[in-house]
């Protein structure tokens, strides 16, 4: 086997072609690539042994070399087209060996040169080996209709690189490309793809060339610059592109660094399918340890049944026409084959029983490589096309049949060419595990399959990957800036790539729930940010409930005062015929006590979750009931004044005294308030409402009053009645009332007005349940003021001083009061 750069053209022939292999010349052996020839031989042997594929037709082959020379490429191409023994353009001197197709063209330029000649004669050219990019001109099916590509397109590989970085969130990577046109094309293709996917390139360097003796100083300058870029960057992931020869200088650089540096470079190398970095390792004794944990894209391959058994049958003493095997055996096993002129001074002779499995992977591998697999499939594609051609009894050319060929190979893969003459193959993703003795294992950890359904083209088994020992088996992070945690967002740094940024906390009221968020988002109205501002949590429904201490205390006081009011009412009813009860307008006292009882109880409507009914009842019930209470007090006050005026001789006020006046005052004043409430309920009634903005983290469940004007009209009218009652009571405070009820009413109205004057600013300055608590407190305080100031003194006389609750005491009081006046 020789380096693929030195054998380019693999020629299947038909009819009674011999199966001998001949090779014109060679330069330097690359044992690893001997497998390419063996894959070709294995495929042709299997086809020739298959009774159903090309029956009665034998395939043979010839191997030529281009020497990286355009002249040699053209010469070899013309030789193939003319005769086995010489080159005679436009003449075919072999009647038995008919050229059917060409498999080859290692480099883009070589393939283009071959296609220029072979295309004239419409000879199919199947490119099954490549260590460089595919020339764009070869994709022009109008100009080169005879070129077919068994290797996958490079576009899925570039897309796979992007998907790989996205999967591991590597946003800051380095690029090292070969110093040639293919390297430049790769960088120009990959860079925009990375940028579109928010991945930045930390640096772009060219791989150094292997130095000649006169250019060692240039190599040192190149490697010094390269080392500076690699060692100073934060990028832990570096993509390397190039073919095996163009990256020899880079591999020498890594070998030298590992051998001499105190801290060798430890990065995650991601290599493309064009570079087999194990080549030349055995030849130059370079270490593979820098590549431990590397990830590489490789042309898709599978285990081909029978190939390992075929390799085990190889014997240098039974070459069977294979001119490479003896030189290969001599090289890899370091033994002599004397009769072939291959000797090692002082060395042993080859036994022929040496096992290929014992060789290190850098010398030879038993599993068919991606390149060999493409050769194997290329030979079978030509065979199936020939079979279709001969089965059709057509004298047509091979192209239509090769273009439409579809078959399943022995490994189970379905193969065909698309409209551009490219195969359906994809890429495997390999993880390289290098052991201390420089032996290695390649583990398949993923694949990039362009035929897979959308979203499933790229797969990776993260758990199967062994990383470089520098990372302690944790997934490497390759970022310019440490990720912004949830609760923060990225801010751009001036004059730096987008991948380099600062992290700023989210503004108040917003959250970010992902790493490296570009902006923070507001929570829905019913949720609010948690303390770390990385998620939205439900807001607490906030209303005055019986379960909380404030609600429980207010409800308890309301019930206590209600009970006390009921006791006073019961006491007045029990002692209804006593002078003190009768003298203070018994019926008005009953109305006042009952309305106060309802006032205390209506405060309970304010506690609990607001509903439609409770919102309608709250303010209207409170306004009407309090209006009845204040109206009753006003009626009491007016009754006291009229009663005094009526005692004067000839007074005309006597006709106003009686139940009718008191009832008229209470009913008329109350009906005005009822009218106001009716208009309110009929136009803009109160309704349950959710206030999600006033308090962070809380939803205030409250009653929307519907119309603030109507609400303040209710309060204003009630205040008007209170002021009138206070004024009348204040003016009548010195009248000779038997039990000084005018004074008590004055004090009660003073308390009542003080409470409600204080209520308004306090009510307006609070929100939610505290606003409700203020109103409940005001209701309880005002009602308690009326109850305490008007009725407690009377209860004191009824219960504790019954001797004062007599008619005589009433008469004495009246007389003494009249004399004083």
């Amino acid at each position: 086997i020789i380096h693929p750069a030195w054998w380019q053209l693999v020629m299947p022939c038909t009819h009674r072609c011999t199966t001998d292999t001949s090779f014109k010349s060679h330069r330097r052996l690359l044992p690893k690539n001997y497998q390419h020839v063996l894959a070709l031989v294995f495929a042709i042997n299997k086809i020739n042994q298959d009774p159903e594929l090309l029956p009665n037709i034998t395939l043979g082959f010839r191997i030529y070399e281009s020497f990286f020379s355009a002249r040699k490429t053209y010469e070899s191409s013309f030789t193939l087209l003319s005769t086995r023994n010489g080159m005679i353009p436009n003449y075919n001197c072999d009647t038995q060996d008919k050229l059917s197709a060409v498999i080859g063209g290692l480099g883009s330029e070589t393939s283009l040169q071959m296609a220029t000649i072979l295309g004239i004669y419409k000879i199919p050219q199947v490119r099954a080996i490549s260590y460089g990019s595919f020339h764009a001109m070869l994709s022009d099916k109008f100009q080169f209709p005879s070129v077919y590509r068994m290797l996958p397109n490079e576009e899925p590989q570039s897309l796979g690189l992007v998907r790989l970085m996205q999967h591991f969130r590597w946003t800051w990577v380095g690029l090292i490309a070969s110093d040639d046109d293919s390297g430049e094309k790769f960088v120009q293709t990959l860079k925009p793809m990375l940028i579109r996917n928010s991945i930045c390139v930390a640096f772009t360097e060219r791989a150094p060339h292997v130095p000649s003796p006169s250019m060692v100083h240039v190599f040192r300058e190149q490697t010094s610059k390269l080392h500076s870029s690699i060692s100073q960057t934060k990028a832990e992931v570096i993509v390397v592109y190039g073919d095996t020869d163009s990256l020899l200088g880079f591999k020498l650089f890594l070998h030298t660094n590992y051998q001499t540096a105190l801290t060798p470079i430890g990065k995650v190398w991601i290599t493309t399918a064009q570079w087999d970095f194990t080549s030349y390792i055995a030849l130059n004794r370079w270490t593979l340890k820098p590549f431990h944990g590397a990830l590489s894209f490789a042309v898709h391959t599978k285990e081909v049944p029978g190939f390992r058994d075929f390799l085990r049958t190889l014997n240098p003493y039974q070459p069977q026409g294979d001119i490479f095997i003896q030189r290969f055996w001599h090289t890899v096993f370091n033994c002599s084959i004397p009769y072939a002129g291959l000797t090692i001074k002082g060395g042993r002779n080859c036994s022929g029983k040496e096992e290929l499995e014992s060789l290190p992977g850098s010398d030879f591998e038993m599993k068919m490589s991606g390149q060999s697999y493409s050769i194997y499939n290329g030979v079978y594609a030509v065979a199936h096309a020939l079979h279709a051609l001969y089965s059709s009894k057509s004298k047509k050319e091979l192209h239509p049949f090769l273009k439409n060929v579809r078959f399943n190979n022995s490994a189970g893969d379905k193969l065909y060419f698309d409209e551009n003459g490219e195969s359906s193959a994809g890429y495997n993703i390999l993880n390289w595990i290098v052991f201390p003795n420089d032996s290695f294992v390649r583990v398949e950890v993923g694949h990039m399959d362009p035929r897979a359904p959308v979203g499933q083209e790229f797969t990776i088994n993260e758990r199967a990957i062994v990383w470089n020992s520098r990372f302690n088996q944790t997934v490497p992070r390759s970022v310019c800036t440490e990720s912004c945690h949830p609760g923060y967002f990225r801010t751009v740094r001036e004059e730096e790539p987008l991948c380099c940024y600062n992290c700023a906390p989210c503004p108040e009221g917003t959250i970010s729930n992902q790493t490296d968020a570009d902006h923070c988002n507001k929570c829905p109205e019913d949720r609010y940010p948690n303390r770390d501002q990385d998620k939205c949590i439900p807001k607490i429904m906030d209303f005055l409930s019986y379960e909380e201490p404030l609600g429980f205390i207010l409800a308890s006081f309301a019930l206590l005062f209600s009970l006390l009011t009921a006791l006073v009412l019961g006491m007045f009813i029990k002692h209804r015929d006593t002078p003190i009860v009768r003298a203070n307008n018994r019926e008005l006292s009953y109305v006042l006590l009952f309305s106060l009882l309802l006032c205390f109880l209506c405060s309970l409507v304010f506690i609990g979750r607001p509903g439609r009914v409770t919102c309608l009842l709250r303010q209207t019930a409170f306004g009407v009931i309090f209006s009845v209470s204040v109206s009753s007090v006003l009626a009491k006050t007016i009754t006291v004044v009229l009663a005094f005026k009526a005692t004067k001789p000839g007074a005309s006020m006597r006709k106003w005294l009686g139940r009718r006046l008191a009832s008229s005052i209470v009913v008329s004043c109350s009906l005005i308030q009822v009218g106001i409430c009716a208009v309110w309920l009929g136009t803009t009634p109160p309704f349950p409402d959710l206030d999600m903005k006033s308090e962070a983290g809380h939803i205030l469940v409250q009653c929307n009053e519907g119309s603030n004007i109507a609400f303040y009209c209710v309060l204003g009218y009630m205040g008007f009645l209170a002021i009138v009652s206070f004024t009348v009571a204040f003016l009548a405070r010195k009248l000779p009332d038997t039990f000084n009820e005018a004074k008590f009413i004055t004090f009660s109205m003073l308390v009542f007005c003080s409470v409600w004057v204080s209520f308004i600013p306090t009510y307006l300055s609070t929100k939610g349940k505290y606003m409700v608590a203020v109103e409940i407190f005001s209701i309880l305080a005002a009602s308690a003021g009326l109850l305490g100031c008007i009725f407690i003194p009377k209860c004191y006389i009824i219960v504790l001083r019954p001797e004062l609750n007599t008619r005589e005491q009433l008469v004495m009081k009246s007389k003494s009061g009249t004399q004083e006046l």
Side-chain angles (χ1 to χ4, degrees):
I1 182 65
I2 50 179
H3 191 280
W6 300 325
W7 67 276
Q8 296 285 339
L9 308 177
V10 181
M11 305 301 169
C13 58
T14 60
H15 297 289
R16 292 179 296 277
C17 178
T18 63
T19 57
D20 292 338
T21 305
S22 61
F23 189 78
K24 299 302 180 183
S25 62
H26 67 269
R27 296 180 182 178
R28 182 168 51 171
L29 297 177
L30 257 184
K32 185 181 179 69
N33 290 337
Y34 179 42
Q35 191 192 80
H36 297 171
V37 172
L38 295 176
L40 171 72
V41 175
F42 176 73
I44 291 179
N45 287 344
K46 296 296 286 186
I47 293 169
N48 289 337
Q49 295 167 9
D50 190 339
E52 296 182 358
L53 183 60
L54 290 176
N56 300 321
I57 295 176
T58 302
L59 293 183
F61 61 91
R62 280 185 277 168
I63 299 176
Y64 285 82
E65 181 184 3
S66 70
F67 296 102
F68 287 120
S69 165
R71 184 189 65 81
K72 187 64 178 177
T73 300
Y74 290 130
E75 179 183 327
S76 298
S77 300
F78 276 119
T79 301
L80 282 167
L81 293 167
S82 54
T83 178
R84 182 185 302 187
N85 298 316
M87 182 187 70
I88 306 176
N90 295 323
Y91 283 88
N92 185 356
C93 302
D94 279 329
T95 59
Q96 292 184 341
D97 295 350
K98 182 180 179 181
L99 179 64
S100 298
V102 175
I103 298 177
L106 178 66
S108 296
E109 293 301 325
T110 303
S111 295
L112 186 61
Q113 293 157 8
M114 290 170 55
T116 303
I117 301 300
L118 298 175
I120 298 173
Y121 301 94
K122 298 182 179 180
I123 301 297
Q125 177 185 347
V126 181
R127 192 177 182 199
I129 317 172
S130 176
Y131 290 96
S133 62
F134 194 61
H135 204 294
M137 289 181 63
L138 294 174
S139 298
D140 185 352
K141 303 311 294 181
F142 179 79
Q143 187 174 359
F144 298 104
S146 61
V147 177
Y148 297 86
R149 179 175 172 131
M150 187 55 66
L151 295 167
N153 195 302
E154 287 188 20
E155 185 177 344
Q157 179 176 239
S158 299
L159 182 60
L161 287 168
V162 175
R163 294 287 181 266
L164 181 64
M165 294 173 198
Q166 286 179 323
H167 176 82
F168 290 108
R169 296 184 178 180
W170 293 331
T171 58
W172 190 242
V173 299
L175 289 183
I176 298 176
S178 56
D179 191 11
D180 52 25
D181 292 341
S182 64
E184 180 65 28
K185 178 183 176 183
F186 172 78
V187 171
Q188 291 179 355
T189 301
L190 184 63
K191 257 191 174 182
M193 294 179 66
L194 295 175
I195 294 172
R196 284 196 300 269
N197 289 275
S198 302
I199 301 169
C200 302
V201 177
F203 65 87
T204 302
E205 293 290 348
R206 298 298 179 187
H209 296 282
V210 176
S212 62
S214 62
M215 299 295 290
V216 172
H217 67 286
V218 176
F219 178 77
R220 287 176 178 171
E221 291 176 0
Q222 292 175 333
T223 54
S224 175
K225 182 175 181 294
L226 181 61
H227 183 271
S228 176
S229 297
I230 295 174
S231 59
Q232 293 179 9
T233 183
K234 292 182 179 179
E236 300 290 357
V237 175
I238 300 175
V239 179
V240 183
Y241 176 88
D243 60 37
T244 302
D245 287 323
S246 64
L247 292 177
L248 273 177
F250 177 70
K251 194 154 49 174
L252 174 60
F253 159 72
L254 289 181
H255 169 78
T256 305
N257 174 266
Y258 187 85
Q259 297 293 338
T260 60
L262 295 176
T263 306
I265 295 172
K267 299 287 185 181
V268 177
W269 304 105
I270 301 178
T271 66
T272 57
Q274 288 76 12
W275 183 26
D276 179 6
F277 54 76
T278 61
S279 299
Y280 294 114
I281 292 295
L283 189 67
N284 296 305
R285 301 303 172 194
W286 291 344
T287 182
L288 275 175
K289 293 184 180 67
F291 296 99
H292 176 63
L295 297 173
S296 67
F297 283 75
V299 176
H300 171 69
T301 183
K302 272 190 174 181
E303 191 72 37
V304 177
F307 185 66
R308 289 178 183 266
D309 295 333
F310 167 73
L311 295 180
R312 294 188 182 102
T313 64
L314 297 178
N315 191 312
Y317 296 111
Q318 298 175 4
Q320 298 180 353
D322 186 349
I323 66 170
F324 304 124
I325 187 170
Q326 292 176 343
R327 182 173 293 276
F328 167 78
W329 216 269
H330 161 71
T331 301
V332 296
F333 290 113
N334 195 29
C335 59
S336 301
I337 303 179
Y339 79 87
L342 301 172
T343 59
I344 296 177
K345 187 175 182 180
R348 65 180 180 86
N349 290 335
C350 298
S351 66
K353 297 181 180 180
E354 291 85 359
E355 295 182 351
L356 293 176
E357 286 96 334
S358 65
L359 293 175
S362 56
D363 281 345
F364 192 82
E365 295 182 75
M366 297 294 287
K367 182 180 179 181
M368 192 175 283
S369 69
Q371 304 284 352
S372 299
Y373 191 64
S374 295
I375 295 172
Y376 173 82
N377 289 329
V379 174
Y380 262 92
V382 172
H384 278 277
L386 285 170
H387 184 85
L389 173 65
Y390 285 107
S391 297
S392 70
K393 306 298 182 183
S394 172
K395 299 295 184 179
K396 295 179 181 179
E397 61 186 61
L398 187 60
H399 282 295
F401 300 96
L402 188 58
K403 181 169 62 175
N404 297 314
V405 70
R406 283 179 178 268
F407 65 96
N408 291 333
N409 67 8
S410 59
D413 279 341
K414 185 175 183 179
L415 299 171
Y416 57 89
F417 293 106
D418 62 17
E419 64 276 4
N420 296 319
E422 297 178 351
S423 79
S424 54
Y427 291 91
N428 293 339
I429 302 175
L430 307 178
N431 179 217
W432 292 79
I433 304 172
V434 182
F435 300 103
N437 62 353
D438 265 340
S439 62
F440 63 87
V441 174
R442 291 182 297 185
V443 179
E444 185 176 328
V445 295
H447 68 270
M448 183 67 195
D449 185 1
R451 299 170 299 177
V454 177
Q456 301 178 24
E457 303 95 337
F458 176 82
T459 59
I460 191 76
N461 182 5
E462 185 176 326
R463 295 183 178 179
I465 299 176
V466 175
W467 301 106
N468 188 291
S469 54
R470 176 169 167 259
F471 302 107
N472 297 319
Q473 204 46 34
T474 58
V475 177
R477 290 182 53 78
S478 188
V479 294
C480 178
T481 307
E482 284 302 315
S483 296
C484 295
H485 298 294
Y488 292 79
F489 71 103
R490 299 188 297 186
T491 58
V492 179
R493 294 180 184 174
E494 293 186 4
E495 298 181 358
E496 290 194 34
L498 292 176
C499 301
C500 302
Y501 47 81
N502 295 319
C503 297
C506 287
E508 185 177 355
T510 61
I511 63 112
S512 65
N513 56 6
Q514 61 183 11
T515 303
D516 289 336
D518 291 322
H519 57 272
C520 299
N521 300 311
K522 289 186 176 181
C523 290
E525 283 194 343
D526 60 341
R527 294 174 176 267
Y528 73 103
N530 64 344
R531 184 175 183 180
D532 295 329
Q533 290 184 273
D534 58 1
K535 63 180 178 180
C536 296
I537 56 178
K539 289 182 178 180
I540 301 171
M541 292 289 187
D542 194 19
F543 55 89
L544 187 62
S545 66
Y546 291 101
E547 289 77 15
E548 61 182 295
L550 181 59
F552 178 78
I553 292 172
L554 291 174
S556 299
F557 273 107
L559 293 175
L560 178 63
F561 284 126
S562 299
L563 179 61
L564 184 59
T565 305
L567 289 175
V568 173
L569 179 59
M571 187 182 300
F572 266 56
I573 293 173
K574 182 179 180 180
H575 298 87
R576 62 185 176 277
D577 295 325
T578 59
I580 194 170
V581 175
R582 296 181 63 185
N584 288 281
N585 200 326
R586 180 171 55 191
E587 287 75 16
L588 279 178
S589 296
Y590 293 160
V591 173
L592 179 57
L593 284 170
F594 185 72
S595 63
L596 288 177
L597 175 62
L598 293 179
C599 285
F600 288 125
L601 292 177
C602 83
S603 64
L604 298 177
V605 182
F606 288 82
I607 303 175
R609 180 166 183 150
R612 184 174 182 181
V613 175
T614 54
C615 286
L616 290 173
L617 290 178
R618 275 186 180 183
Q619 305 297 355
T620 55
F622 151 70
V624 172
I625 293 171
F626 252 93
S627 295
V628 173
S629 299
V630 179
S631 299
S632 300
V633 173
L634 178 60
K636 268 181 168 289
T637 308
I638 292 174
T639 301
V640 170
V641 173
L642 293 178
F644 175 74
K645 298 292 184 181
T647 58
K648 294 182 179 180
S652 60
M653 293 294 181
R654 288 180 181 269
K655 61 182 180 180
W656 295 103
L657 291 176
R659 298 178 181 177
R660 183 179 298 177
L661 175 64
S663 300
S664 299
I665 294 173
V666 172
V667 171
S668 60
C669 292
S670 300
L671 283 176
I672 294 175
Q673 187 71 291
V674 169
I676 296 173
C677 293
V679 173
W680 183 9
L681 296 178
T683 53
T684 52
F687 58 90
D689 192 19
L690 300 178
D691 182 0
M692 301 183 182
K693 299 180 179 179
S694 295
E695 289 189 21
H698 292 78
I699 298 177
L700 304 183
V701 185
Q702 59 188 12
C703 288
N704 189 310
E705 307 305 348
S707 171
N708 288 328
I709 295 175
F711 174 64
Y712 288 112
C713 284
V714 169
L715 289 181
Y717 178 70
M718 194 169 60
F720 169 74
L721 292 179
I723 292 171
V724 171
S725 297
F726 173 76
T727 304
V728 175
F730 181 78
L731 295 175
R733 69 187 185 283
K734 294 185 178 181
L735 294 177
D737 182 32
T738 304
F739 295 99
N740 294 321
E741 190 167 48
K743 295 180 180 179
F744 298 143
I745 292 174
T746 302
F747 286 122
S748 67
M749 286 296 100
L750 181 62
V751 172
F752 185 91
C753 292
S754 300
V755 168
W756 289 108
V757 168
S758 304
F759 161 78
I760 294 176
T762 309
Y763 183 82
L764 293 175
S765 62
T766 54
K767 293 287 184 181
K769 62 183 179 182
Y770 298 106
M771 177 187 286
V772 176
V774 167
E775 188 166 358
I776 294 173
F777 176 80
S778 299
I779 292 172
L780 295 179
S783 302
L786 293 176
L787 179 65
C789 294
I790 295 176
F791 293 101
I792 294 302
K794 297 175 177 58
C795 292
Y796 170 77
I797 292 174
I798 292 172
V799 176
L800 300 178
R801 301 291 300 275
E803 68 276 8
L804 299 178
N805 190 10
T806 62
R807 186 176 179 81
E808 291 75 15
Q809 286 293 328
L810 178 64
V811 172
M812 288 177 60
K813 275 282 190 180
S814 298
K815 287 182 178 180
S816 61
T818 303
Q819 290 174 359
E820 289 175 3
L821 289 172

